[in-house]
């Protein structure tokens, strides 16, 4: 016959084992969901994924990003990086926008 103290300790260990058996799979599921969500966010920021959604990266031919029409020269050349390659392009005109909101309107030249 086991002493009472050992019986209580055995019962406590069984209880902890049961709790671990239930909580570990839930913790792993939660961690997997969080990892999947972070992976999706990272994939959305992948430059190649952005290009495949129809965006282009413009550079000055030396690898420096062009982010403003003020960086362009009419008649000058730029390089457009697209999802499936590059294109050298010539600037025909510069049309600054009226506002920098979500749908900027090109300003017409008179």
């Amino acid at each position: 016959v086991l002493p009472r103290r050992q019986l209580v300790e055995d019962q406590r260990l069984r209880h902890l084992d049961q709790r671990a058996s239930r909580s570990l799979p839930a913790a792993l599921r939660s961690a997997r969901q969080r990892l999947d969500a972070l992976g999706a966010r990272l994939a959305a920021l992948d430059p190649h994924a952005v290009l495949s959604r129809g965006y282009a990266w413009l550079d000055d031919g030396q690898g420096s990003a062009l982010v403003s029409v003020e960086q362009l020269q009419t008649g000058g050349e730029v390089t457009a990086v697209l999802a499936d390659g590059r294109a050298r392009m010539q600037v025909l005109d510069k049309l600054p926008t009226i506002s920098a909101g979500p749908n900027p309107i090109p300003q017409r030249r008179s």
Side-chain angles (χ1 to χ4, degrees):
V1 175
L2 294 174
R4 176 166 166 67
R5 183 174 176 187
Q6 190 171 1
L7 287 173
V8 169
E9 193 61 31
D10 285 349
Q11 184 179 14
R12 183 175 162 273
L13 287 174
R14 279 194 303 276
H15 175 70
L16 289 173
D17 184 50
Q18 289 171 350
R19 281 183 58 193
S21 295
R22 286 189 305 264
S23 65
L24 195 55
L28 288 174
R29 269 193 309 278
S30 176
R32 169 51 70 189
Q33 289 172 342
R34 186 165 186 270
L35 184 61
D36 289 346
L38 289 172
R41 286 177 63 189
L42 183 61
L45 296 174
D46 175 8
H48 291 96
V50 173
L51 294 175
S52 70
R53 291 194 305 264
Y55 291 92
W57 163 282
L58 295 180
D59 74 40
D60 61 2
Q62 307 298 314
S64 295
L66 297 172
V67 296
S68 169
V69 295
E70 297 304 318
Q71 294 174 274
L72 303 173
Q73 298 294 322
T74 301
E77 287 190 6
V78 298
T79 301
V81 179
L82 303 150
D84 61 350
R86 297 174 177 266
R88 288 186 28 223
M89 307 174 105
Q90 185 176 26
V91 177
L92 301 178
D93 198 3
K94 298 190 318 185
L95 302 171
T97 57
I98 294 172
S99 75
N103 297 310
I105 302 167
Q107 194 172 27
R108 299 212 185 264
R109 295 199 171 178
S110 27

